[in-house]
Amino acid sequence: MKDCIFCKIVRNEIPSYTIYEDDVVKAFLDISQGTPGHTLVIPKKHIANIFEYDPELAAAVFSRIPKIARAVKDSNPDIKGMNILNNNGQVAYQSVFHSHFHLVPRYTNHDDFSMTFKDNSNKYTPDDLKKIQDSIVAHIGD
Ligand code: 5GP
Ligand code: ZN
């Protein structure tokens, strides 16, 4: 897509610190470096978000992620773990609308990354959960 910043990175019109690429994906350092080594893995094909993947592209992209994640982890003995995140939609903090997966190396529980969500389990009855389950199951296709 012409004006997409990540498509421009795929075409090398914008420079990036690329750590891996092949015919399907490109992986490069996130400019923000949330923690050292913070990497983005993107499909070379422009799609906006997770809702636009077909099974073949999803399989092709995800099959590359463990190898890239291992390389990032092995690059620094201080990396003890990794969060892998994928934001979809502005409401979910997506700011670049070309699908991407964040690989965020974790050094300690007190490094510069945090992710929290509330435990609301005490607000749901089994019936509430069953209704949510049913409404989602009704939309699972083949
Ligand atoms: P999002 O908020 O959409 O999940 O993540 C977008 C990410 O893209 C942000 O973490 C941001 O730092 C990164 N980013 C935005 N523009 C550029 C750029 O031009 N180059 C690189 N390497 N990363 C970028
Ligand atoms: Zn794009």
Side-chain angles (χ1 to χ4, degrees):
M1 188 182 274
K2 191 167 167 293
D3 293 326
C4 168
I5 193 160
F6 285 178
C7 284
K8 287 182 182 174
I9 285 175
V10 168
R11 294 192 299 263
N12 296 315
E13 292 168 17
I14 293 177
S16 67
Y17 293 92
T18 293
I19 59 163
Y20 175 79
E21 73 178 304
D22 59 24
D23 52 330
V24 177
V25 301
K26 186 156 178 141
F28 52 95
L29 297 184
D30 187 305
I31 200 87
S32 71
Q33 289 297 282
T35 66
H38 180 182
T39 293
L40 298 173
V41 181
I42 70 171
K44 287 192 164 175
K45 175 185 160 80
H46 179 93
I47 56 167
N49 54 46
I50 197 74
F51 309 115
E52 295 187 358
Y53 280 82
D54 60 36
E56 290 72 27
L57 185 61
V61 171
F62 202 80
S63 70
R64 270 82 173 166
I65 288 182
K67 165 177 157 157
I68 299 165
R70 273 192 298 271
V72 173
K73 183 169 186 305
D74 292 348
S75 70
N76 185 332
D78 293 334
I79 296 175
K80 307 297 185 207
M82 184 176 289
N83 288 97
I84 297 183
L85 295 139
N86 167 236
N87 300 330
N88 297 281
Q90 205 165 12
V91 72
Y93 309 127
Q94 186 176 8
S95 61
V96 176
F97 294 93
H98 179 133
S99 178
H100 51 277
F101 295 86
H102 293 262
L103 276 49
V104 186
R106 299 303 306 280
Y107 295 79
T108 71
N109 291 135
H110 307 290
D111 57 20
D112 288 334
F113 179 82
S114 72
M115 184 174 71
T116 56
F117 47 84
K118 279 201 247 172
D119 177 0
N120 291 319
S121 54
N122 60 354
K123 298 181 187 153
Y124 287 80
T125 65
D127 194 47
D128 292 331
L129 294 172
K130 179 86 178 90
K131 281 191 183 120
I132 294 171
Q133 176 191 22
D134 288 347
S135 63
I136 297 171
V137 168
H139 288 89
I140 295 274
D142 294 332

